[in-house]
Amino acid sequence: MKIILLGAPGAGKGTVAKLLTDYDGSVQISTGDILRGAVKAGTELGKKAKAYMDSGDLVPDQLIMELMKERLAEPDCQQGFILDGFPRTIPQAEALKGLMDELRIRLDFVVSLEVPRDVILDRLTTRRTCSNSDCQEIYNIKSNPPLPDGTCKKCGSPTIQRDDETEAAIQYRLETYAKKTSPLIEFYQKEGLLKQFASLNSKDTVEAVKKQLQA
Ligand code: ADP
Ligand code: ZN
C-alpha cells in the first residue's frame, strides 16, 4: 500500500501505522521517529531539529524535504509505505506531490483519522514512549501500560514522557496542527485522495483501511 496518514497529534497515527505494516509488509515512515532518532544520535539533522521539537514547533519544511527525498528513494519503499506524520504543511504536501511524480509513485489514498478533541487531550497526557531510539514503543498508562516498574515490555528500557508532551507543549502542538496541518484535509480532498475514518479504536480503523484498500 502507498498511503498517507493524517491526524492531529494523539489521533493514533503511530499505532495505526504499526498495525498496517503487518498487513502487507509496507514500511512505516514516521518523520517524528526519524527526527527523534537523529536527536538522540546527535547528527547534524538532530542538532538542527531539537529546539523546534522540544517546544512543539514544526521543523522547517526544507529539512523535512531533504530527509524525505532520501527516505522515499530507498529500495524498501517500492513495496509500499505508510507516511506517518508527513506531510505536515501545505508546502510539504506540494513538494511531496512533485517528488511522487519524479519517482513515479502513485498513492492509493490519504487516511484522515478523525478523533474528538477531548479524547486527543486525554491520550496525549497519558502517553509514554520507550526511551530506546531503536524501539520507541508507545504505551498509555491507562489503556496499555508498560511493565509495573515503568520499563518497556519489548526491550526493557525505561519508558518516558516526551519533552513535547507537557501540558503547555501539547496545547501548542494542537494549535500548530489546527493552523498548519489541518488545511491538508482540504488539499487532499481537492486532489480526490481523501478518505475519512472515525477513529476511536485503532484496530477497527485498521480493518476499515484494509477494506478500503481492497475496494
Ligand atoms: P505527534 O505526536 O505530534 O504526531 P511526531 O512524533 O509525529 O508527533 O513528531 C514530533 C515532532 O517532530 C513534531 O512536533 C515536530 O516538531 C517534528 N516533526 C515531525 N514530523 C514533521 C514534519 N513532517 N514537519 C515538520 N516537523 C515535523
Ligand atoms: Zn522498548
Side-chain angles (χ1 to χ4, degrees):
M1 76 185 88
K2 296 189 170 85
I3 63 172
I4 293 173
L5 286 181
L6 278 185
K13 295 188 296 291
T15 310
V16 167
K18 283 207 176 74
L19 290 169
L20 281 171
T21 59
D22 292 339
Y23 174 60
D24 70 353
S26 296
V27 286
Q28 173 192 11
I29 303 179
S30 158
T31 41
D33 285 353
I34 295 172
L35 291 167
R36 277 186 292 278
V39 169
K40 188 107 191 280
T43 64
E44 274 313 300
L45 171 69
K47 282 180 202 152
K48 289 181 193 156
K50 187 176 189 322
Y52 297 102
M53 295 174 73
D54 285 349
S55 59
D57 257 324
L58 293 182
V59 172
D61 290 332
Q62 202 200 326
L63 272 186
I64 299 288
M65 289 317 301
E66 281 168 20
L67 169 88
M68 286 308 292
K69 246 180 220 163
E70 274 180 29
R71 186 63 190 90
L72 283 170
E74 279 175 36
D76 62 347
C77 289
Q78 270 164 19
Q79 164 77 16
F81 52 76
I82 301 145
L83 299 185
D84 159 16
F86 169 84
R88 275 274 230 293
T89 64
I90 293 283
Q92 288 180 20
E94 273 164 355
L96 176 65
K97 196 177 162 189
L99 187 58
M100 294 278 181
D101 288 345
E102 241 171 71
L103 298 171
R104 298 186 195 290
I105 296 172
R106 255 196 68 217
L107 287 175
D108 294 305
F109 47 80
V110 175
V111 172
S112 172
L113 301 177
E114 316 277 329
V115 183
R117 191 183 164 88
D118 54 329
V119 176
I120 291 223
L121 277 175
D122 187 59
R123 279 187 193 165
L124 287 173
T125 46
T126 52
R127 185 146 89 179
R128 298 294 180 272
T129 307
C130 174
S131 59
N132 171 0
S133 58
D134 292 329
C135 175
Q136 304 199 22
E137 186 73 5
I138 297 166
Y139 295 94
N140 181 292
I141 51 175
K142 287 188 197 159
S143 62
N144 173 29
L147 293 173
D149 65 354
T151 56
C152 175
K153 287 188 198 166
K154 279 206 171 153
C155 75
S157 304
T159 58
I160 50 163
Q161 191 162 22
R162 286 171 18 189
D163 286 339
D164 62 355
E165 287 180 350
T166 61
E167 292 281 349
I170 287 169
Q171 205 55 46
Y172 191 64
R173 278 161 69 207
L174 289 172
E175 281 165 28
T176 305
Y177 173 80
K179 225 189 302 174
K180 300 204 171 142
T181 308
S182 66
L184 294 184
I185 292 176
E186 204 188 316
F187 178 92
Y188 285 117
Q189 206 149 33
K190 281 191 185 142
E191 296 276 310
L193 286 170
L194 193 78
K195 307 266 183 232
Q196 290 170 294
F197 297 85
S199 187
L200 285 175
N201 174 307
S202 301
K203 288 204 177 106
D204 294 346
T205 307
V206 167
E207 289 313 310
V209 172
K210 285 185 199 166
K211 228 183 219 163
Q212 187 64 242
L213 281 165
Q214 288 154 6

